[in-house]
Amino acid sequence: LNYVNIVRRCLCYHLKDGSLLDGKTLRTNFREATKAYAEKQGLYLIGNNLLINLEEIKYLNKDHIIFDNDEKLYYPQKYYETLKTDWKNYIE
């Protein structure tokens, strides 16, 4: 798993092999729907609608992440500093 986001009110799982899995339609907020995943070590919640796998990050830039499979994900720059710190702490 690289990351989970929302697409058309459904959870969308972006896997390491490049495939996508559509999940259930959200009847609650993203945080509640992904709570069980977010509690697992290595999964990191960005804002209210993006859950990323820290273990799969190859490069972290100010506005995007490149995962080990070279998939690129853009995210809000305001989360860069905390994400960078938490990612460094995770990989060390």
Side-chain angles (χ1 to χ4, degrees), residues 5-92:
N5 66 350
I6 301 173
V7 176
R8 288 178 258 116
R9 292 291 305 154
C10 292
L11 293 177
C12 187
Y13 301 87
H14 299 257
L15 305 180
K16 295 189 287 186
D17 67 2
S19 63
L20 303 174
L21 291 177
D22 285 331
K24 63 181 180 175
T25 300
L26 291 179
R27 302 209 187 284
T28 183
N29 65 45
F30 184 84
R31 283 180 180 263
E32 271 305 308
T34 59
K35 187 176 182 178
Y37 298 112
E39 292 172 351
K40 295 190 184 291
Q41 184 177 1
L43 296 180
Y44 185 85
L45 186 65
I46 296 178
N48 291 317
N49 60 2
L50 184 60
L51 185 67
I52 62 165
N53 186 347
L54 296 174
E55 193 170 313
E56 296 300 320
I57 295 175
K58 182 192 287 187
Y59 300 111
L60 179 63
N61 296 300
K62 287 189 180 217
D63 67 342
H64 67 279
I65 296 166
I66 298 176
F67 292 98
D68 287 337
N69 67 350
D70 293 325
E71 182 175 5
K72 187 184 286 189
L73 171 69
Y74 288 92
Y75 69 96
Q77 289 182 14
K78 68 181 182 179
Y79 298 108
Y80 173 71
E81 289 300 326
T82 55
L83 176 57
K84 180 176 82 170
T85 300
D86 291 343
W87 179 53
K88 284 185 177 182
N89 289 338
Y90 177 77
I91 60 174
E92 291 177 351

